[in-house]
Amino acid sequence: MTVLRVSDLISGLAVAGLGTYIFLASRSFPAVGGVAIAPSFYPGLIGIALIACGLALAAISVLKKTVLPLADPVAWIRRPRTVIAVLAVPAAIVAYALLSRPLGFLLTCSLVSMGLFLAFRVSVLTSVVLAICITLALYIVFVTMLRVPLPYGVIEALLP
């Protein structure tokens, strides 16, 4: 099995294309009355950032003038720890999507974050501390500052 590494030019253009799609799709979000910031604002901002970063990556690749093939076989696929780290990211996204409602944001975010840190070879103690800190910071930002309701899950039974 041959695994390919894609050049920065192709990666940059793909990221810029994704950003364009996100930006254009966000324009179709319906306006909500009485809200200071339209629902399309943050997705549109993310789309613009992706476009800028993707074009910058592609431009740097062209300006370097290094001759790189569009795709090039890589050896990392033979290292199991690296494969685990690469597969951990999409697995974390799927795990969060499946577990956030039943377990709740706090528990799911902590477990998923800790799992990612461990997959990337961070020590257990550091993984636990960082997962808790990141989860609490995200909770404060989304619930307190942005007023986004997050799922409580099993913790809801403990609330008065």
Side-chain angles (χ1 to χ4, degrees):
M1 178 170 95
T2 302
V3 177
L4 300 176
R5 181 181 67 189
V6 180
S7 75
D8 286 349
L9 174 63
I10 300 298
S11 298
L13 293 176
V15 168
L18 176 65
T20 302
Y21 172 77
I22 291 171
F23 178 78
L24 293 175
S26 72
R27 299 293 113 205
S28 68
F29 291 177
V32 177
V35 177
I37 297 176
S40 64
F41 178 74
Y42 289 113
L45 194 62
I46 290 169
I48 290 169
L50 285 172
I51 293 168
C53 291
L55 291 177
L57 181 62
I60 289 169
S61 174
V62 170
L63 292 175
K64 278 184 183 177
K65 295 182 182 178
T66 54
V67 179
L68 291 175
L70 292 181
D72 170 22
V74 293
W76 63 264
I77 195 72
R78 291 184 202 82
R79 294 190 301 260
R81 292 288 295 169
T82 307
V83 173
I84 290 170
V86 169
L87 295 177
V89 174
I93 294 169
V94 171
Y96 181 82
L98 294 175
L99 298 174
S100 64
R101 287 224 185 262
L103 295 182
F105 173 79
L106 294 173
L107 189 54
T108 304
C109 186
S110 296
L111 291 173
V112 167
S113 298
M114 189 173 71
L116 282 171
F117 287 129
L118 292 172
F120 286 104
R121 302 180 192 163
V122 176
S123 72
V124 175
L125 179 62
T126 305
S127 295
V128 170
V129 171
L130 284 175
I132 291 170
C133 291
I134 288 171
T135 299
L136 292 176
L138 287 172
Y139 184 83
I140 289 168
V141 167
F142 281 99
V143 172
T144 306
M145 298 167 70
L146 297 175
R147 298 179 189 257
V148 174
L150 297 174
Y152 288 114
V154 295
I155 295 175
E156 190 170 22
L158 304 173
L159 296 174

